[in-house]
Amino acid sequence: MNIKEVLQKADEVIEDQKLREMFKKCFMSTLETSVKVDGEKTYIITGDINAMWLRDSSCQVHHYLSLMKDDSDLQNKVKGLIKSQVDYILLDPYANAFLNTEDVEREYHDTTIMKPYVWERKFELDSLCYPVQLAYLYLKETNDDTIFDKQYLHFIQTILDVFETEQYHSQKSSYTFERDMAKVWNLRKTETLQNHGHGFDTRYTGMIWSAFRPSDDACALNYNIPGNMFCSVILSYLQEIVKDIYHDEYLEERIQDLKFEIDYGIELFGTYLHPKYGKIYAYETDGYGNHVLMDDANVPSLLSLPYLGYCNEDNEIYQNTRCFILSHDNPYYYEGKKAKGIGSPHTWKEYVWPIALTMQALTSTDEQEIQTLIDMIVNNTGDTGYCHESFDVNDDSQYTRPWFCWANSLFAELIMKVYF
């Protein structure tokens, strides 16, 4: 099936006109508005911010991956995106977003090491995981292993170096980040790291330290549990790539050891015995016995664990956690006249995120719940027919980010899963 055939099939299988038209718009959003091809490389902006996030760009093409076999142009675009991501990470593995030009005017100043082409240098563990996931899924869909050259091997070694360093952040890492809060009046406190840009102290757990969450907000406690779970999943991908393509037993063993340490750390430090819900996963911890109990709309999230491949939907701890995060005991769960779901400290109180609503449906086994969530998303676009970053649970005309491709792509993926 190719892109044209997907749009034709939508006319056949989606009876509701409003849903059908929204699906088509969301499905095409990234290709129509956000892609720039330059030779063998592809640059994909996130939407209304003219920069490419490693996380967002990977997610923006996820719903296209199964179509690459019948569309060489689409395959080349995704292959070009992988090449760009590898080059950017080798330029600076601590950066989360990049530009396709050296010149940029910023409205704020960050105290950290800023190189040309770097838009933002917030170290987020998931930003190094998504490009691995994309390359692995690309291989599985196309059987094209030409992306795994010497440059990619250097990429693997680079991210492993970062992972192993950040297991001992307080002792070994030189990374710092501070944003000048005085110069931008509307910045949140979560835009910068405390302790003069170092973050709070952490204890070794086997997990990997992260400065910022997938929301680009600073971690409260710097071992982000869903981020480490996602890292565990992609280390399995890397182990398979190294074994089957590079035939490097030493590197394979290095990856296996790292995955073991992360998994052990999650098991030992990443759970919490809740008096109401039983054993659940915490969102963050510091290794000293402190936990952040919440979930955020951005992925990787605790809600998204089955989607990411960390566990099955019927996993007992996951189900306990799901009950917790889809309740008012989660401080970022909101309910209003028009919608209910998970929001984020990144946006205002009482604003829920279509990404979280879509993820709730993607990880649900209840057909009624799935349909209710689809209806909720379709009926809360502010009459634009697109998903936004977030919207007011009582008034969907009040929303953030009118052009946010990740949310559109994920919604399109949900509709393809349900209707195709």
Side-chain angles (χ1 to χ4, degrees), residues 152-378:
Y152 200 90
L153 181 59
H154 182 32
F155 159 80
I156 293 174
Q157 293 166 334
T158 298
I159 65 172
L160 290 178
D161 287 344
V162 173
F163 290 162
E164 290 167 350
T165 296
E166 295 306 327
Q167 285 181 293
Y168 300 89
H169 174 79
S170 298
Q171 295 80 29
K172 296 183 178 181
S173 180
S174 61
Y175 172 82
T176 62
F177 182 96
E178 285 184 281
R179 178 157 290 175
D180 190 339
M181 306 296 288
K183 293 184 178 179
V184 186
W185 65 270
N186 61 341
L187 283 182
R188 296 173 294 271
K189 293 180 180 179
T190 53
E191 291 284 350
T192 192
L193 289 183
Q194 302 297 319
N195 190 22
H196 304 289
H198 293 274
F200 297 117
D201 287 340
T202 51
R203 174 187 177 189
Y204 172 79
T205 64
M207 290 186 285
I208 299 168
W209 184 95
S210 187
F212 290 85
R213 298 168 176 171
S215 61
D216 300 335
D217 293 314
C219 294
L221 304 175
N222 293 96
Y223 293 123
N224 181 271
I225 305 302
N228 274 274
M229 291 169 163
F230 189 27
C231 189
S232 173
V233 172
I234 67 99
L235 285 172
S236 294
Y237 298 160
L238 282 180
Q239 188 176 351
E240 183 178 332
I241 291 167
V242 167
K243 179 181 179 181
D244 294 345
I245 297 175
Y246 294 107
H247 311 292
D248 187 327
E249 292 183 3
Y250 168 76
L251 191 57
E252 183 186 350
E253 185 176 347
R254 182 182 174 191
I255 294 168
Q256 187 175 9
D257 289 346
L258 178 59
K259 176 176 165 53
F260 174 83
E261 291 166 6
I262 292 171
D263 289 341
Y264 194 84
I266 292 170
E267 181 180 351
L268 194 61
F269 295 94
T271 61
Y272 180 84
L273 188 59
H274 196 284
K276 182 176 179 181
Y277 299 96
K279 190 176 184 180
I280 65 173
Y281 290 117
Y283 186 72
E284 288 170 353
T285 188
D286 58 1
Y288 288 113
N290 302 305
H291 299 87
V292 174
L293 302 182
M294 56 165 278
D295 200 22
D296 191 85
N298 294 269
V299 181
S301 59
L302 295 174
L303 184 63
S304 68
L305 298 183
Y307 174 83
L308 296 174
Y310 182 78
C311 65
N312 295 324
E313 288 90 346
D314 59 357
N315 178 278
E316 182 179 358
I317 304 177
Y318 172 73
Q319 282 298 323
N320 292 345
T321 308
R322 186 182 179 94
C323 289
F324 164 72
I325 60 182
L326 293 175
S327 76
H328 290 289
D329 291 312
N330 172 11
Y332 299 103
Y333 180 86
Y334 304 117
E335 186 170 353
K337 297 176 182 178
K338 299 205 66 179
K340 60 180 180 179
I342 297 173
S344 171
H346 193 72
T347 49
W348 295 309
K349 188 177 180 181
E350 304 295 328
Y351 276 57
V352 299
W353 287 49
I355 282 178
L357 297 174
T358 302
M359 188 53 65
Q360 184 181 342
L362 283 167
T363 55
S364 175
T365 57
D366 184 330
E367 291 185 5
Q368 183 175 351
E369 179 185 20
I370 294 169
Q371 190 57 55
T372 298
L373 288 161
I374 291 173
D375 294 342
M376 193 181 299
I377 296 166
V378 171

Side-chain angles (χ1 to χ4, degrees), residues 71-213:
D71 191 330
S72 59
D73 180 62
L74 180 60
Q75 181 176 335
N76 286 333
K77 284 185 171 70
V78 175
K79 187 174 183 177
L81 174 60
I82 295 168
K83 288 180 179 292
S84 294
Q85 291 178 338
V86 168
D87 285 351
Y88 282 139
I89 289 172
L90 290 177
L91 173 68
D92 187 352
Y94 282 90
N96 59 318
F98 297 85
L99 299 163
N100 64 342
T101 177
E102 294 186 57
D103 302 319
V104 62
E105 291 186 9
R106 303 180 186 280
E107 62 175 325
Y108 47 76
H109 174 74
D110 295 338
T111 302
T112 188
I113 300 171
M114 293 295 289
K115 298 180 179 179
Y117 298 101
V118 171
W119 168 254
E120 192 171 56
R121 196 171 187 258
K122 291 180 172 179
F123 175 60
E124 301 162 354
L125 176 56
D126 67 286
S127 291
L128 295 179
C129 296
Y130 273 111
V132 175
Q133 181 198 55
L134 179 62
Y136 179 80
L137 295 178
Y138 172 88
L139 174 65
K140 292 301 178 182
E141 291 291 344
T142 65
N143 292 318
D144 175 17
D145 63 1
T146 59
I147 58 173
F148 300 110
D149 53 14
K150 290 183 179 180
Q151 182 88 333
Y152 200 90
L153 181 59
H154 182 32
F155 159 80
I156 293 174
Q157 293 166 334
T158 298
I159 65 172
L160 290 178
D161 287 344
V162 173
F163 290 162
E164 290 167 350
T165 296
E166 295 306 327
Q167 285 181 293
Y168 300 89
H169 174 79
S170 298
Q171 295 80 29
K172 296 183 178 181
S173 180
S174 61
Y175 172 82
T176 62
F177 182 96
E178 285 184 281
R179 178 157 290 175
D180 190 339
M181 306 296 288
K183 293 184 178 179
V184 186
W185 65 270
N186 61 341
L187 283 182
R188 296 173 294 271
K189 293 180 180 179
T190 53
E191 291 284 350
T192 192
L193 289 183
Q194 302 297 319
N195 190 22
H196 304 289
H198 293 274
F200 297 117
D201 287 340
T202 51
R203 174 187 177 189
Y204 172 79
T205 64
M207 290 186 285
I208 299 168
W209 184 95
S210 187
F212 290 85
R213 298 168 176 171

